[in-house]
Amino acid sequence: MLELRHRGGGPGPGPGVSPPREGDAAGGDHETESTSDKETDIDDRYGDLDSRADSDVPEIPPSSDRTPEILQKALSGLSSRWKNWWIRGILTLTMISLFFLTIYMGSFMLMLLVLGIQVKCFHEIITIGYRVYHSYELPWFRTLSWYFLLCVNYFFYGETVADYFATFVQREEQLQFLIRYHRFISFALYLAGFCMFVLSLVKKHYRLQFYMFAWTHVTLLITVTQSHLVIQNLFEGMIWFLVPISSVICNDITAYLFGFFFGRTPLIKLSPKKTWEGFIGGFFSTVVFGFIAAYVLSKYQYFVCPVEYRSDVNSFVTECEPADLFQLHSYSLPSFLKVVLRRETVSLYPFQIHSIALSTFASLIGPFGGFFASGFKRAFKIKDFADTIPGHGGIMDRFDCQYLMATFVHVYITSFIRCRAATPKDRGGSGGPNPSKVLQQLLVLQPEQQLSIYRTLKTHLTEKGILQPVLNV
């Protein structure tokens, strides 16, 4: 078979191949033979991989049913459709309750929750790669995958510590060294993993090993960078964390319910159970939910103030004068609404208007993260990423839409919120640069640098009339 695949052919001319011309160099036959030998060697290395078609991808064993036995007995008399509906419903309410408990426990517990979800999602995706290609016994694949996860998390969370925990770092000499050389240490750690990967390359598996190297890095891009953005959004104020995430959750639930009871028209081939009825119903429900949630959360400092670390109490605090974004404003209604509602104006929080954009993205664009995940699962002939949550699949199955949302919120804050902070009051909340982050960065500067900034700031405030000029007597 290998002989038939040689582009150089055999030692003699085959059918349709012209014989060598008289003017060819004397060493032509030797060169042809050498080229053929090289191609043979390449085919020996990669022939087994090149001949694999999509249909030859090893199938992953189906996930086991991890539904609690008490639920299995209670729902044994129902059809599979309604049984799955009840299981999904009960587990959904359980997860929502745990989410509310985590919110009550504070921002630090939310950060730990995000980190835990990130690690579990990474584990599920990497496990799929390992199961698909485990027959090749690639050396160090899982070890290097987890090592790269550690390196990337060290880099991103180290950046967060440097930005928001400078006063704490100031008290710890060892941490000062780590923060000062943080990026160099991160790069050195990554280089060590890179060198280990190169040393692990095995003959006949080069191409496959590079496939898995790319698999690991794309997984890191999907999970770690997005979870880092989620935490950055959380530091802007818990409301920027809760409204987007709860909007995606609401869209998942309402789209499922509308599709379950009214779904008739298929939406997309990648996910046959998705319907236009569920998609449209989820959109309107999510916009209404986001608008109401924004109104409720905007009333409380706990949700609207930036999350700051206070070294004197050694904990996170959310205390500030709420920004103009979270103050009630009166808006004039369009003429046709004045007739319907019989009022000239309506009082709203400006954030409610922004919540419409967030909810719209969550319901129209967010589902494409789920469609992407569906295509991924179809490519590897699996139903779910894992069997962690009965009736739902893996953690990644529940958070596939959240990663697009995290990036959108971060870009939205940068583009439409910070750039519009024009007054000191605006900067007390989610507008402008985060005051806590700026202060923490100033505290790690050298004393002479701090004095220079102090003099510059004092001169600037005096010129604007905020500070009274000091008269020398």
Side-chain angles (χ1 to χ4, degrees), residues 32 118 159:
T32 303
Q118 173 223 116
E159 294 285 309

Side-chain angles (χ1 to χ4, degrees), residues 118 122 145 148-150 152-153 156 190 215-226:
Q118 173 223 116
F122 180 85
S145 297
F148 282 125
L149 175 67
L150 179 65
V152 176
N153 270 311
F156 280 118
Y190 180 83
W215 181 298
T216 299
H217 282 66
V218 171
T219 305
L220 291 172
L221 177 66
I222 293 173
T223 57
V224 181
T225 56
Q226 301 303 310

Side-chain angles (χ1 to χ4, degrees), residues 321-327 329 350 417-435 460-461 464 466:
E321 180 185 355
D324 190 65
L325 193 64
F326 305 108
Q327 302 284 354
H329 287 66
I417 304 300
R418 288 180 182 168
C419 65
R420 299 189 62 169
T423 67
K425 186 177 181 181
D426 289 334
R427 295 181 177 92
S430 296
N434 190 308
H460 174 72
L461 294 177
K464 294 189 70 174
I466 299 174

